[in-house]
């Protein structure tokens, strides 16, 4: 543990405010690194000449780290302390970003995947540390509100991440080159040279990112952010401590992990496939379609502000979860069942694309709603329960592959119809989250009880 002050009681208002500011900055880092994957997928598919399956491995390599590292992260944080753990997580991300430089220089797909995996490992450590902070620095009833506050940093980064990437990496000359490659104007050695020129655009931005992450790790380590005492994080009361012998005996947590998995997975499907879906309608990555994920994230950003304003004064966090999951269930059905060409923001596509984008607004309060319901009352298992919920973020790795499998099953259809029909996978996911918000979180025992 570090020698900095530890939180061993309910923190005062000043400590809470300082902690929330630093946590918001951390969540901004989460978003900046995470959400750029939505444009990396089509970018790598073009510059590395990947198949659909290989392109989805971009998100798989990144988010599978959550599944592998979440529980080891909880033990690491218990041993090292939270601030040292955060520094280690940021340094791990720095190494991952640094690997983009040789990967781009030699245009080696596998090194990119390793870099993405290390970025994910670092984020898993940071998420395991940051989320308990947000939950414990105030009352459990307003946890969703605090999640929304720090989430604004995450989603603001999501809004600008693709815009920054597109502006810094995809230069005007690159846009012309992309269109020519997509049109098939290059073959053989000329194609390889063109692809080398494009991919090297990521070298400088990721080198700068690597340096920034390393420095920020040092700043967090020596910041006024107080170190959480693991014994306090993991123990809310003696009654909680003695109520269950195993974490598996908390149905609200286990069912909440599944809800989180489906939420995160469907969110990545909506974000990660939107540019490609627009591409089946004639829009190019070199055109305004590259901004589609940013529109989704802008709606999510707005949703977070609604959460801050409404929860818990006007709307209980559980009701917010129920309403938002229900809205996304309806939007999922509309994606599949409606059609019609519209032109909006310089993009001419089927209307179903914009229903996909609209999911960003209700998505804002799903994470913030599921987390406190799942983690409430875990007592000494709070840290491990947080690790389980972080593991559920691997939904972003697995669900896009499931979606792609359904696209492949519809290979006899046009690319547009194949993708559109595959979105039906969203329906059972949101139906489950609706059930969890209405009933699942209330289950206290796996055994049936009788009045």
């Amino acid at each position: 543990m570090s020698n900095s002050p530890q939180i061993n009681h309910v923190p005062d208002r000043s400590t809470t405010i300082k902690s929330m500011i630093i946590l918001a900055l951390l969540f901004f880092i989460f978003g900046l690194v995470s959400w750029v994957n939505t444009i990396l997928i089509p970018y790598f598919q073009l510059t590395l000449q990947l198949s659909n399956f290989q392109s989805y491995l971009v998100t798989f390599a990144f988010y599978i780290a959550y599944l592998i590292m979440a529980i080891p992260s909880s033990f690491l944080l218990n041993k090292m302390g939270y601030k040292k753990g955060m520094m280690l997580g940021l340094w791990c991300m720095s190494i991952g970003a640094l690997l983009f430089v040789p990967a781009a220089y030699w245009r080696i797909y596998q090194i990119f995947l390793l870099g993405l995996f290390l970025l994910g490992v670092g984020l898993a450590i940071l998420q395991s540390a940051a989320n308990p902070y947000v939950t414990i620095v105030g009352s459990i009833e307003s946890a969703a509100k605090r999640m929304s506050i720090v989430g604004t940093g995450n989603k603001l980064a999501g809004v600008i991440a693709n815009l920054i990437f597109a502006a810094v990496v995809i230069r005007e000359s690159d846009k012309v080159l992309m269109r020519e490659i997509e049109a098939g104007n290059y073959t053989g050695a000329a194609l390889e040279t063109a692809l080398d020129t494009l991919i090297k655009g990521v070298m400088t931005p990721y080198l700068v990112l690597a340096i920034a992450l390393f420095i920020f790790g040092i700043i967090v380590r020596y910041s006024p952010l107080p170190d959480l005492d693991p014994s306090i994080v993991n123990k809310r009361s003696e009654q909680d401590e003695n109520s269950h012998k195993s974490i598996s005996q908390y149905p609200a947590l286990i069912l909440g992990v599944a809800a989180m998995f489906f939420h995160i997975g469907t969110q990545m499907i909506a974000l990660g496939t939107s540019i490609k879906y627009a591409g089946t309608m004639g829009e190019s990555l070199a055109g305004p379609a590259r901004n589609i994920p940013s529109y989704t994230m802008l709606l999510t950003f707005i949703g977070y502000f609604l959460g801050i304003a409404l929860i818990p004064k006007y709307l209980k966090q559980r009701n917010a979860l129920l309403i938002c999951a229900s809205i996304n269930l309806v939007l999922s059905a509309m994606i599949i069942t409606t059609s019609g060409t519209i032109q909006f923001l310089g993009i001419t596509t089927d209307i179903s694309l914009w229903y996909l984008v609209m999911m960003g607004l209700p998505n804002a309060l799903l994470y913030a709603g599921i987390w406190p319901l799942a983690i409430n009352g875990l007592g000494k298992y709070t840290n491990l329960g947080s690790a389980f919920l972080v593991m559920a973020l691997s939904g972003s790795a697995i669900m896009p592959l499931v979606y792609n499998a359904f696209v492949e099953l519809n290979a006899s259809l046009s690319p547009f119809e194949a993708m559109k029909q595959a979105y039906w996978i969203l329906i059972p996911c949101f139906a489950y989250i609706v059930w969890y918000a209405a009933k699942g979180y209330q289950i206290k025992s796996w055994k049936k009880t009788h009045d």
Side-chain angles (χ1 to χ4, degrees):
M1 295 292 294
S2 69
N3 294 324
S4 55
Q6 294 180 339
I7 294 178
N8 53 13
H9 54 80
V10 178
D12 58 35
R13 182 175 177 83
S14 175
T15 299
T16 299
I17 292 173
K18 290 178 182 177
S19 298
M20 293 298 291
I21 291 173
I22 296 171
L23 289 168
L25 290 174
L26 277 173
F27 273 75
F28 182 85
I29 296 292
F30 298 167
L32 198 64
V33 176
S34 300
W35 300 120
V36 78
N37 282 332
T38 60
I39 197 170
L40 277 179
I41 295 171
Y43 180 79
F44 280 164
Q45 186 165 19
L46 175 65
T47 56
L48 298 174
Q49 297 291 281
L50 306 178
S51 66
N52 284 340
F53 177 78
Q54 288 176 317
S55 69
Y56 285 120
L57 287 181
V58 170
T59 52
F60 182 86
F62 183 83
Y63 286 103
I64 200 63
Y66 286 109
L67 182 64
I68 296 171
M69 282 300 299
I71 291 179
S73 294
S74 69
F75 292 110
L76 177 71
L77 293 170
N78 282 340
K79 186 173 181 62
M80 294 186 63
Y82 280 75
K83 290 175 72 173
K84 286 183 179 178
M86 287 181 183
M87 181 178 69
L88 180 64
L90 286 163
W91 284 2
C92 185
M93 292 172 64
S94 176
I95 295 172
L98 192 61
L99 282 177
F100 272 53
V101 177
Y105 185 80
W106 288 301
R107 199 153 60 88
I108 299 177
Y109 172 59
Q110 291 80 2
I111 299 180
F112 275 118
L113 293 183
L114 178 59
L116 286 163
F117 177 75
L118 290 176
L119 283 167
V121 168
L123 273 178
I125 297 171
L126 288 173
Q127 290 273 23
S128 297
N131 284 302
Y133 260 111
V134 180
T135 303
I136 206 171
V137 294
S139 67
I140 191 69
E141 290 76 16
S142 59
K145 181 175 183 175
R146 293 193 300 278
M147 283 282 188
S148 295
I149 292 172
V150 297
T152 58
N154 182 280
K155 296 307 181 281
L156 174 63
V159 172
I160 67 175
N162 291 321
L163 300 178
I164 292 175
F165 185 91
V168 175
V169 177
I170 306 176
R171 298 155 295 186
E172 285 300 320
S173 58
D174 292 335
K175 294 177 185 178
V176 176
L177 195 56
M178 281 181 172
R179 292 190 183 97
E180 291 177 346
I181 293 172
E182 290 172 343
N185 295 345
Y186 291 90
T187 57
L191 176 61
E192 293 300 312
T193 301
L195 294 174
D196 285 339
T197 301
L198 281 179
I199 197 67
K200 287 179 180 177
V202 304
M203 292 174 64
T204 300
Y206 274 87
L207 177 60
V208 172
L209 178 62
I211 296 171
L213 288 169
F214 182 83
I215 294 173
F216 192 62
I218 298 174
I219 292 173
V220 169
R221 170 65 180 85
Y222 295 102
S223 72
L225 183 70
D227 234 345
L228 287 180
D229 185 343
S231 66
I232 299 301
V233 175
N234 294 329
K235 182 178 177 182
R236 299 288 284 195
S237 70
E238 287 298 320
Q239 182 180 1
D240 282 339
E241 184 177 5
N242 297 324
S243 58
H244 294 287
K245 294 181 179 180
S246 168
I247 196 170
S248 64
Q249 295 176 352
Y250 291 87
L253 171 68
I254 305 304
L255 297 172
V257 168
M260 186 68 77
F261 179 90
F262 289 138
H263 158 53
I264 296 297
T266 53
Q267 181 175 244
M268 183 49 65
I269 288 174
L271 281 164
T273 66
S274 57
I275 295 178
K276 187 177 296 186
Y277 188 42
T280 66
M281 308 171 213
E283 293 290 339
S284 169
L285 176 63
R290 68 181 182 275
N291 297 325
I292 292 173
S294 291
Y295 301 145
T296 303
M297 298 306 296
L298 177 61
L299 289 174
T300 305
F301 188 62
I302 294 171
Y304 267 96
F305 275 106
L306 290 175
I308 294 169
L310 299 177
I311 298 172
K313 186 174 182 180
Y314 302 105
L315 185 64
K316 292 182 179 179
Q317 57 192 21
R318 197 275 301 186
N319 292 336
L321 174 61
L322 181 60
I323 292 169
C324 291
S326 299
I327 291 173
N328 270 351
L329 181 60
V330 172
L331 288 173
S332 299
M334 294 177 72
I335 291 171
I336 302 166
T337 59
T338 62
S339 61
T341 302
I342 64 168
Q343 185 173 16
F344 185 58
L345 297 175
I347 304 170
T348 303
T349 62
D350 186 74
I351 193 172
S352 58
L353 172 70
W354 295 105
Y355 291 134
L356 196 67
V357 172
M358 287 169 61
M359 283 184 174
L361 184 63
N363 264 338
L365 300 184
L366 295 188
Y367 184 100
I370 294 169
W371 189 283
L373 290 180
I375 208 172
N376 190 26
L378 289 184
K380 64 181 179 180
Y381 295 114
T382 299
N383 201 6
L384 185 58
S386 296
F388 274 46
L389 286 166
V390 171
M391 287 173 66
L393 303 187
S394 63
S396 287
I398 297 169
M399 289 299 294
L401 295 180
V402 175
Y403 170 82
N404 182 66
F406 284 105
V407 172
E408 297 295 332
L409 286 176
N410 294 322
S412 60
L413 304 176
S414 67
F416 165 69
E417 284 295 334
M419 290 193 71
K420 184 173 185 176
Q421 293 305 313
Y423 285 121
W424 78 264
I425 193 64
L426 300 174
I427 292 178
C429 295
F430 286 120
Y432 176 86
I433 299 173
V434 169
W435 172 83
Y436 179 76
K439 179 72 175 177
Y441 81 99
Q442 296 176 320
I443 300 175
K444 303 299 182 185
S445 173
W446 296 115
K447 297 178 180 178
K448 292 184 178 180
T449 58
H450 301 280
D451 293 334

